[in-house]
């Protein structure tokens, strides 16, 4: 059963209501941004109803993130490169800093625009109760539990083949511990981890096995970042 | 008629100059600048109310900058956080060190948090204001300005660029030329009390003229703690103007690198009248040489207190960053000074990657005023059980506390350089303990 993306049907089905709300928001951001030329990107973004539904940051949150995006964009060309991220000292000292930065860039690309920036950050929006029941037929929001787990899975899965092999696990472990643990010890840790998680005997961890291992972890809270305002 | 106009403007101008310079020579103030400040504040409040009203009429949210960060960050350590994650995952004993797949959540979230909002990079750009101060450079809500407000803003532009700016440039010119000629003349006198007396007053007079050239309204607190001979004065650094602000209230020996151009001329003239400590560019890299010369200066009790900014670079006055330990190893008494600017009237922060010196000075001279508070803190000496770094941190905390600034351990040099790998290695070591124990 397809969803009606109707325009201008006041009240009625919840789907149409949310559409009207989105359009109102988009118009608001249109007005707000057209006068200030720096925010033209926000306009184009806010106008896209699809983007709004999937990503779901509030108005003021988008403004703040855009402000942050422009302050990181030293070249002032509307996109961020890996160097722009590495200039953040607290990120540069994070052992998995490079993997996290990689998550922002789509396959083979070296620049990320504001839309891509927002898409990645949207994974970390807290899950609100009133969202859990809404939009059952729509695209899954980026900040669902499953998508948060997928984000973490992708940090381990270096070659993007939807499996965490022993080699990949070793490499990520090496990033996290530096020079403090020997190869043998690290190898046995990796072996044990795969043994505990692997169910179909392929000596690698698939996404389903990953989810099973972490089924009790409070992912919603540990992989969420709350805005103060 | 044009001639008459020209003559009357020149006369007015000269009268104004005299009216400002003469009190500066004697260190007297009529309080005009304070009245100016109060009037401006009232106008700013009115302007902000108008903007808020305009936004409310259109039913839009207003952009308000938040100084305390935009996301909630918990101040927990790596150990606590990872234990928390593991605790929620399984009922296993937490004392045994081991690896869990969920450990990655900690690094992931921390990393994304710093991408959204970090403590360091925002210190290197100007602070955002909560209410508008009628300068287009600080307005984030352009489209809510009514006609009245626009007219007021236009008037402000006229006053600042056509009246205040020429006046200030004339004053600055006078101040600098008097400094150069005055110190050169005093330099010819034989060494003695007369020379010292004249030198001190020439310096003070010229710095006071420069203070008026910037319309700097300074409030000094606790002046009984002012630095004495044989001591080192340390302060937080926001802009080159800091020097003018401190030196107009006390007589210091400056430390720095010899520049070329106008700065070089001024430096060479100043050192004729009293012993400042200037280094050649090549000598600056040699830390031992620097330390030796500073120690010699400090041990001679007849020489003036040294003025040093241990952060090494300009920070935006919302925080104090790491103090370089060089000046704290010398063993002299340290006189800390906290300087806090009020950005409402003009932001004094020099963003050296964005503006050159000349652009910066022009921006300063076209602001309303530079308003700041200076606190002279009681002198501190190094305790026997602490080393130079701990002493430096202690002084830094005292300055941060007094000025209401955030006390950071990060190095101000991160403005231009990459962070050292040792910090990442510390994190890796901490984490290793969690998966294999000691």
């Amino acid at each position: 059963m397809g969803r009606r993306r109707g325009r201008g049907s006041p009240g009625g089905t919840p789907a149409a209501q949310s559409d009207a709300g989105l359009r109102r928001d988009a118009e608001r951001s249109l007005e707000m941004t057209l006068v200030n030329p720096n925010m033209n990107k926000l306009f184009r973004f806010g106008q896209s109803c699809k983007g709004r539904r999937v990503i779901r940051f509030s108005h003021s949150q988008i403004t703040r993130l855009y402000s942050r995006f422009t302050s990181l964009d030293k070249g002032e060309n509307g996109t961020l490169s890996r160097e722009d991220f590495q200039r953040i000292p607290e990120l540069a000292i994070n052992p998995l800093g490079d993997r996290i930065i990689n998550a922002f860039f789509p396959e083979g690309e070296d620049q990320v625009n504001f839309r891509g920036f927002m898409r990645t950050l949207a994974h970390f929006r807290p899950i609100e109760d009133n969202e859990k029941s809404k939009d059952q037929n729509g695209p899954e929001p980026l900040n669902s539990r499953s998508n948060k787990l997928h984000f973490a899975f992708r940090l381990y899965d270096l070659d993007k083949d939807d499996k965490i092999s022993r080699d990949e696990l070793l490499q990520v472990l090496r990033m996290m511990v530096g020079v403090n643990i020997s190869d043998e010890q690290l190898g046995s840790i990796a072996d044990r981890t795969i043994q505990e998680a692997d169910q179909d005997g392929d000596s690698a961890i698939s996404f389903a096995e990953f989810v099973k291992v972490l089924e009790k972890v409070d992912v919603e809270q540990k992989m969420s970042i709350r805005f103060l305002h | 008629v044009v001639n008459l106009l020209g003559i009357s403007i020149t006369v007015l101008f000269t009268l104004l100059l005299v009216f400002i310079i003469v009190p500066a020579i004697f260190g007297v103030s009529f309080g005009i600048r304070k009245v100016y400040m109060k009037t401006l504040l009232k106008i700013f409040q009115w302007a902000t109310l108008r903007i808020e009203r305009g936004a409310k009429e259109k039913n839009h949210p207003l952009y308000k900058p938040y100084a305390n960060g935009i996301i909630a960050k918990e101040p927990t350590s790596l150990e606590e956080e990872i234990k928390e994650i593991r605790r929620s995952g399984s009922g296993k004993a937490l004392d045994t060190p081991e690896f869990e797949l969920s450990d990655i959540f900690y690094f992931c979230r921390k990393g994304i948090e710093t991408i959204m909002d970090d403590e360091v990079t925002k210190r290197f750009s100007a602070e955002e204001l909560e209410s508008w101060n009628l300068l287009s450079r600080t307005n984030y809500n352009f489209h809510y300005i009514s006609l009245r407000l626009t007219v007021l803003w236009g008037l402000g532009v006229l006053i600042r660029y056509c009246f205040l700016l020429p006046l200030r440039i004339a004053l600055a010119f006078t101040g600098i030329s008097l400094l150069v000629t005055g110190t050169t003349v005093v330099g010819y006198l034989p060494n003695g009390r007369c020379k010292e007396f004249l030198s001190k007053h020439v310096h003070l007079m010229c710095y006071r003229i420069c203070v008026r050239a910037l319309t700097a309204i300074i409030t000094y607190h606790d002046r009984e703690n002012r630095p004495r001979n044989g001591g080192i004065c340390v302060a937080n650094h926001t802009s080159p103007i800091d020097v003018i602000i401190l030196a107009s209230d006390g007589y210091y020996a400056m430390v720095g690198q010899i520049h070329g151009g106008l700065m070089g001329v001024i430096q060479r003239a100043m050192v004729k009248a009293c012993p400042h400590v200037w280094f050649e560019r090549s000598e600056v890299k040699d830390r031992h040489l620097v330390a030796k010369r500073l120690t010699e200066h400090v041990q001679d009790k007849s020489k003036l207190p040294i003025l040093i900014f241990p952060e090494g670079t300009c920070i935006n006055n919302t925080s104090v960053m790491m103090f370089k330990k060089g000046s704290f190893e010398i063993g002299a008494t340290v006189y800390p000074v906290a300087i806090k600017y009020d950005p409402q009237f003009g932001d004094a922060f020099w963003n050296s990657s964005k503006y050159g010196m000349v652009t910066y000075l022009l921006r300063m001279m076209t602001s309303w005023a530079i308003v700041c508070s200076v606190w002279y803190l009681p002198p501190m000496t190094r305790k026997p059980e602490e080393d130079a770094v701990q002493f430096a941190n202690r002084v830094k905390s005292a300055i941060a506390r007094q000025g209401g600034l955030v006390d950071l351990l990060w190095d101000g040099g991160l403005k231009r350089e990459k962070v050292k790998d040792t910090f990442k290695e510390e994190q890796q070591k901490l984490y290793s303990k969690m998966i294999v124990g000691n």
Side-chain angles (χ1 to χ4, degrees):
Chain A
M1 171 167 97
R3 294 192 60 238
R4 235 182 90 246
R5 307 267 227 101
R7 298 189 178 277
S9 47
T13 60
Q17 256 174 348
S18 63
D19 260 358
L22 286 168
R23 210 163 14 99
R24 218 183 323 118
D25 279 347
E27 276 164 22
R28 255 206 285 164
S29 64
L30 163 61
E31 259 211 71
M32 197 172 146
T33 59
L34 271 187
V35 189
N36 187 345
N38 277 342
M39 306 236 272
N40 268 328
K41 291 206 171 66
L42 266 183
F43 150 55
R44 263 174 262 141
F45 183 73
Q47 268 255 298
S48 136
C49 291
K50 180 164 171 230
R52 191 75 175 72
R53 186 175 302 140
V54 165
I55 294 181
R56 283 211 196 113
F57 279 117
S58 80
H59 214 72
S60 70
Q61 289 166 352
I62 294 181
T63 320
R64 258 156 240 310
L65 287 176
Y66 187 72
S67 194
R68 176 70 174 164
F69 180 86
T70 39
S71 73
L72 289 173
D73 180 14
K74 292 280 186 252
E76 285 182 7
N77 51 2
T79 59
L80 296 179
S81 67
R82 283 171 219 266
E83 287 78 37
D84 288 323
F85 284 101
Q86 276 154 359
R87 227 175 272 122
I88 305 172
E90 287 164 291
L91 186 63
I93 67 168
N94 189 319
L96 292 176
D98 287 330
R99 290 298 304 153
I100 297 170
I101 294 174
N102 217 43
F104 281 86
F105 294 87
E107 187 63 56
E109 304 221 349
D110 284 329
Q111 303 282 332
V112 56
N113 60 11
F114 183 58
R115 172 175 293 207
F117 186 69
M118 298 269 307
R119 264 192 81 88
T120 317
L121 292 179
H123 286 88
F124 292 84
R125 249 186 96 243
I127 302 177
E128 270 127 60
D129 288 320
N130 58 3
E131 286 175 359
K132 283 190 182 147
S133 44
K134 227 201 266 184
D135 274 348
Q136 293 293 4
N137 300 330
E140 195 180 3
L142 284 172
N143 64 336
S144 70
R145 187 192 156 87
S146 173
N147 274 325
K148 286 184 201 278
L149 281 167
H150 210 111
F151 190 91
F153 183 80
R154 283 198 294 265
L155 288 180
Y156 281 112
D157 184 13
L158 297 169
D159 57 8
K160 299 189 194 187
D161 63 354
D162 284 332
K163 276 198 203 307
I164 306 176
S165 68
R166 180 183 189 268
D167 221 22
E168 288 172 344
L169 188 55
L170 260 179
Q171 283 187 51
V172 174
L173 274 170
R174 181 53 75 195
M175 282 184 221
M176 290 200 271
V177 306
V179 300
N180 296 295
I181 299 181
S182 67
D183 281 330
E184 297 86 45
Q185 242 182 330
L186 220 57
S188 65
I189 292 176
D191 284 327
R192 206 193 51 231
T193 313
I194 295 187
Q195 206 180 30
E196 284 174 3
D198 191 17
Q199 287 168 340
D200 59 7
D202 60 353
S203 303
I205 307 178
S206 70
F207 182 56
E209 289 160 358
F210 187 75
V211 172
K212 186 88 178 43
V213 170
L214 299 174
E215 65 187 342
K216 293 213 208 85
V217 176
D218 186 5
V219 178
E220 283 90 345
Q221 216 236 329
K222 294 303 168 192
M223 290 277 276
S224 292
I225 296 176
R226 198 171 48 89
F227 272 87
L228 285 174
H229 308 276
Chain B
V1 170
V2 176
N3 270 351
L4 207 64
L5 202 63
I7 292 176
S8 59
I9 290 185
T10 326
V11 166
L12 208 66
F13 224 59
T14 334
L15 268 177
L16 260 174
L17 271 174
V18 170
F19 191 59
I20 296 177
I21 294 185
V22 170
I25 297 180
F26 296 106
V28 182
S29 173
F30 290 129
I32 299 178
R33 281 174 286 161
K34 291 249 158 71
V35 171
Y36 172 64
M37 196 170 93
K38 288 203 178 85
T39 330
L40 278 178
L41 266 175
K42 289 215 176 72
I43 300 180
F44 295 162
Q45 274 168 1
W46 180 82
T48 314
L49 280 171
R50 290 306 291 238
I51 291 186
E52 282 174 2
R53 197 151 46 122
K56 212 175 284 181
E57 277 166 18
K58 298 201 184 145
N59 209 13
H60 284 181
L62 207 61
Y63 178 81
K64 271 198 179 288
Y66 294 113
N68 295 328
I70 59 176
I71 51 178
K73 287 191 192 174
E74 273 117 60
T76 44
S77 70
L78 183 149
E79 269 191 76
E80 288 168 20
E81 269 292 313
I82 294 190
K83 281 208 176 118
E84 263 287 311
I85 301 174
R86 290 181 184 177
R87 190 177 299 138
S88 71
S90 63
K92 280 194 260 180
L94 294 170
D95 301 340
T96 46
E98 59 179 345
F99 170 70
E100 293 284 341
L101 280 170
S102 57
D103 288 349
I104 207 172
F105 290 171
Y106 169 74
F107 294 108
C108 184
R109 193 178 90 186
K110 266 277 177 296
I112 300 283
E113 272 178 5
T114 59
I115 290 177
M116 284 184 172
D117 188 17
D118 79 300
E119 280 301 311
V120 183
T121 54
K122 64 185 178 189
R123 311 291 170 192
F124 301 132
S125 59
E127 190 185 350
E128 293 184 335
L129 292 177
E130 291 204 9
S131 57
W132 191 38
N133 62 351
L134 288 183
L135 297 175
S136 59
R137 55 188 89 147
T138 55
N139 195 333
Y140 320 110
N141 297 303
F142 275 116
H143 30 290
Y144 302 127
I145 306 179
S146 57
L147 182 66
R148 246 187 266 186
L149 211 50
T150 317
V151 167
L152 195 64
W153 172 75
L155 204 66
V157 169
L158 212 68
I159 295 178
R160 282 183 293 120
Y161 281 82
C162 303
F163 174 60
L164 288 177
L165 181 62
L167 187 64
R168 286 172 180 166
I169 292 184
L171 278 172
F173 195 67
T174 321
I176 294 179
S177 31
L178 271 177
L179 183 67
V180 172
T181 47
T183 48
T184 318
V185 164
V186 170
Y188 287 125
L189 295 172
N191 282 354
R193 282 194 42 202
C194 181
K195 180 180 188 178
E196 262 187 57
F197 179 77
L198 276 177
S199 170
K200 177 171 181 179
H201 284 273
V202 164
H203 273 96
L204 279 175
M205 173 184 85
C206 297
Y207 282 121
R208 285 195 197 119
I209 298 179
C210 286
V211 158
R212 279 162 174 76
L214 291 164
T215 318
I217 303 167
I218 312 169
T219 320
Y220 296 100
H221 302 266
D222 305 327
R223 293 181 80 224
E224 65 272 10
N225 290 327
R226 272 191 305 171
R228 284 174 238 254
N229 283 9
I232 298 185
C233 176
V234 301
N236 56 317
H237 201 29
T238 306
S239 94
I241 293 178
D242 293 342
V243 171
I244 299 179
I245 287 178
L246 288 180
S248 62
D249 190 45
Y251 191 29
Y252 298 98
M254 313 274 168
V255 176
Q257 197 186 307
I258 287 238
H259 289 94
L262 180 63
M263 274 295 324
V265 170
I266 300 176
Q267 285 176 317
R268 272 178 262 272
M270 277 167 68
V271 85
K272 288 188 186 133
C274 90
H276 297 289
V277 185
W278 301 127
F279 292 100
E280 299 291 331
R281 189 168 214 129
S282 49
E283 292 174 330
V284 171
K285 301 278 188 302
D286 186 351
R287 279 189 44 210
H288 289 290
L289 181 68
V290 171
K292 192 160 88 73
R293 273 186 71 179
L294 287 178
T295 321
E296 278 169 10
H297 185 110
V298 151
Q299 278 165 352
D300 184 350
K301 291 297 176 197
S302 69
K303 294 213 173 134
L304 306 163
I306 300 181
L307 181 58
I308 280 190
F309 297 100
E311 280 168 313
T313 187
C314 295
I315 313 291
N316 78 345
N317 209 231
T318 55
S319 66
V320 186
M321 296 185 103
M322 188 184 92
F323 277 3
K324 299 205 185 339
K325 65 181 169 141
S327 15
F328 298 91
E329 287 174 322
I330 296 177
T333 319
V334 170
Y335 294 87
V337 178
I339 308 177
K340 178 82 179 105
Y341 289 88
D342 185 350
Q344 183 84 338
F345 296 92
D347 196 330
F349 168 58
W350 182 28
N351 191 343
S352 47
S353 45
K354 215 170 169 193
Y355 306 112
M357 178 60 110
V358 179
T359 325
Y360 168 69
L361 283 175
L362 275 176
R363 279 170 73 94
M364 283 300 102
M365 293 196 186
T366 53
S367 311
W368 294 111
I370 309 285
V371 177
C372 66
S373 295
V374 175
W375 286 273
Y376 292 103
L377 296 166
M380 292 178 162
T381 40
R382 182 154 72 103
K383 293 196 185 119
E385 66 268 12
E386 59 182 8
D387 66 358
V389 175
Q390 289 165 335
F391 181 37
N393 284 339
R394 190 161 61 92
V395 173
K396 175 161 65 76
S397 301
I399 293 182
R401 215 176 313 130
Q402 179 65 66
L405 306 164
V406 177
D407 186 3
L408 293 177
L409 290 170
W410 294 95
D411 185 356
L414 290 170
K415 198 195 233 179
R416 297 206 176 80
E417 289 153 11
K418 284 200 159 23
V419 66
K420 291 203 194 97
D421 282 331
T422 44
F423 294 104
K424 189 194 255 191
E425 284 156 19
E426 269 174 40
Q427 292 262 304
Q428 287 169 328
K429 204 168 188 182
L430 268 174
Y431 181 63
S432 308
K433 285 214 187 96
M434 295 219 68
I435 57 177
V436 292
N438 293 327

